[in-house]
Amino acid sequence: MKTRHRKSMLLTLFIPYTALFLLLFTMIISYFVVSESKNIRETSLRSIENSLINLSNHIDLTVETLDTVSQNIIYSNLVKEHFASYINYASPDSLQNASNKYNNVQNSTICWWQ
């Protein structure tokens, strides 16, 4: 008769406990990966949203600044045209003689000593 080798108690318990440990470890790691990936996704989406809001605010501010500059340019061109017609030396105007033109220039100068 052949003698059967009896498995030792250590080998008999090692395989099921190792499988149980690996199963629990896999479940814990899976839970950690899923929960942390969800947290990272939410954090990154919030960060992107905040960046877009800041970018939008900056673009709005820049557009408002450009609008102000363009209005200033328009008004300065209007003032320049009005001032050019006020002191018109290029074309002879029958309504303005030389003394009126000189008075207009004197009215437009700024005297610091007065």
Side-chain angles (χ1 to χ4, degrees):
M1 264 178 95
K2 288 186 175 181
T3 59
R4 278 178 102 174
H5 294 287
R6 290 189 170 182
K7 292 182 181 176
S8 69
M9 183 184 261
L10 179 64
L11 186 60
T12 305
L13 293 177
F14 178 75
I15 293 173
Y17 282 124
T18 303
L20 181 64
F21 173 75
L22 289 176
L23 179 68
L24 287 174
F25 184 73
T26 305
M27 288 173 57
I28 291 171
I29 292 298
S30 298
Y31 173 75
F32 178 74
V33 166
V34 168
S35 66
E36 286 303 310
S37 65
K38 182 180 176 184
N39 289 338
I40 290 171
R41 187 179 317 119
E42 289 174 359
T43 304
S44 63
L45 288 176
R46 269 190 254 118
S47 174
I48 289 171
E49 183 180 358
N50 289 336
S51 296
L52 289 176
I53 288 171
N54 288 337
L55 181 66
S56 174
N57 290 338
H58 183 68
I59 288 174
D60 287 342
L61 182 65
T62 305
V63 167
E64 287 176 7
T65 304
L66 289 175
D67 185 38
T68 303
V69 168
S70 66
Q71 285 180 353
N72 290 340
I73 290 171
I74 290 170
Y75 289 141
S76 69
N77 285 337
L78 290 175
V79 168
K80 184 171 68 173
E81 290 172 4
H82 181 68
F83 189 71
S85 68
Y86 183 69
I87 308 170
N88 192 0
Y89 293 106
S91 65
D93 192 359
S94 62
L95 297 176
Q96 285 191 343
N97 56 20
S99 65
N100 285 340
K101 289 180 182 179
Y102 180 74
N103 288 335
N104 288 342
V105 170
Q106 291 300 323
N107 290 337
S108 63
T109 59
I110 298 173
C111 296
W112 294 102
W113 58 87
Q114 291 181 355

